Amino acid sequence: MPAGGLEGVVAAQTALSWIDGERGMLLYRGYPIDELARHATFEEVVHLLLDGTLPTRAQLLQVRRRLGELSALTPSVERTLRALPPQTTPMEALRTGVSLLGSGVPTSDRVEIDRARRDAYAIVARLPSVIGAFEAGRRGRDTAVPDPDASVAHNLTMALTGKEPDEETERAMDVALVLHAEHTLNASTFAARLTASTLSDIYSAVAAAVGALRGPLHGGANERVARMLDEIPSVAAVGPYIDGKLVRRERIMGFGHRVYRTEDPRAPHLREWAQRLADHNGQSEVIDKALEVQRVVMDRKGLSVNVDFFSAPLYTAMGVPRDQFTPIFAASRAAGWTAHVLEQQSDNRLIRPSSEYVGVRRRRWVPIDQRG
Ligand code: COA
């Protein structure tokens, strides 16, 4: 019987990313995350994951053009997103949106990799548009038409804040997208690969992944971190607040990880950018509280932050609505999800693990009148 939660179980082979949890290392196709965070744009990472190499200048231009051309939604998808019930949250809208994008896409007994790669690019291009259409709809704004010449980071920030981002804010979003794009066989990626392994279509695989990402133990944690930082009235209140949570045996969101035994290597970049944007905007309260939470949780529990912790003060500093934090994660991870689907399809075998039966062995049928 494998460890609970499939810990340590190898369930797929991948050439997309590699983690050393003991040393806190993450590579995308061999490139260290630190170098990607410092130098790469999200579009370069998309090409790296979907096509296998860092793009040349000409290829990068093509990727940008391709993503720009594919980003528009059909009027009926946009209308439907705007007509969702008023209680719909952005992650629910995104889950529905992915399904809408995949309307009429057939399943096939044979994998057509070229078609799947086209669909992969379409998904990466359109997720920000789905997020933007829903956000504009609930604010009563016209949907911002994505600028096909602008970066994904620019268009996504604009869609979420309703404002043209300055250079610093656009690069901060770009770095966040680079950092969230891929992370081996996390829960949502596993959901995507599992769905693809039945020869279902790539949209269904991504819809399954969005559903898995939403949970607070996975991508939903960043929104909970923002709520926690809101609840803490001041830096001085951090210690008693965290102690109270630990006494009640509550989890502190944004801390701990299944794989990393050190600080998540993505976290320092998010911390640096959250601090930079806070300085840039002259609003240090949220980041100061976040830094104190990090110090206190390390002191009390020895737990390090994960990717979801400093993304919360970063997106807060950008002016992104809190319930749109997890959709940003999804817009970025779409690159990793779709790359994993292509990898799964290129050498597919149905993923179908076993279960250990722990119920009653054998029972006699009881007619309905004799039960009770
Ligand atoms: N707050 C408090 N305690 C935590 C913790 C957290 N965020 N993360 C782990 N722990 C503790 C657990 O209580 C457990 O202690 P115990 O053995 O005394 O009960 C121990 O550390 C191991 O936790 P476990 O849940 O078995 O680890 P896991 O590998 O299954 O969990 C996470 C990994 C990410 C689900 C877990 O760390 C967590 O819930 N984090 C908060 C949610 C989050 O930030 N998710 C985003 C992940 S990128």
Side-chain angles (χ1 to χ4, degrees), residues 216-218 221 251-258 301 303 306 308:
L217 295 188
H218 192 5
R251 288 196 173 224
I252 320 286
M253 291 293 145
F255 287 83
H257 201 275
R258 175 61 64 80
K301 284 283 281 185
L303 280 171
N306 58 48
D308 289 305

Side-chain angles (χ1 to χ4, degrees), residues 245-321:
K245 269 190 167 311
L246 294 177
V247 167
R248 295 190 298 277
R249 301 188 65 80
E250 286 171 20
R251 288 196 173 224
I252 320 286
M253 291 293 145
F255 287 83
H257 201 275
R258 175 61 64 80
V259 184
Y260 294 117
R261 293 293 152 251
T262 57
E263 185 172 84
D264 184 321
R266 300 164 296 180
H269 299 282
L270 292 162
R271 180 169 53 227
E272 182 190 321
W273 276 99
Q275 276 175 309
R276 262 172 92 156
L277 275 203
D279 290 348
H280 183 65
N281 300 341
Q283 293 168 340
S284 62
E285 197 200 334
V286 179
I287 185 68
D288 288 347
K289 285 191 282 184
L291 289 167
E292 181 63 0
V293 171
Q294 179 183 27
R295 191 192 67 74
V296 171
V297 175
M298 175 50 83
D299 176 63
R300 310 287 201 268
K301 284 283 281 185
L303 280 171
S304 298
V305 291
N306 58 48
V307 72
D308 289 305
F309 189 72
F310 283 106
S311 56
L314 174 62
Y315 302 150
T316 304
M318 284 178 183
V320 173

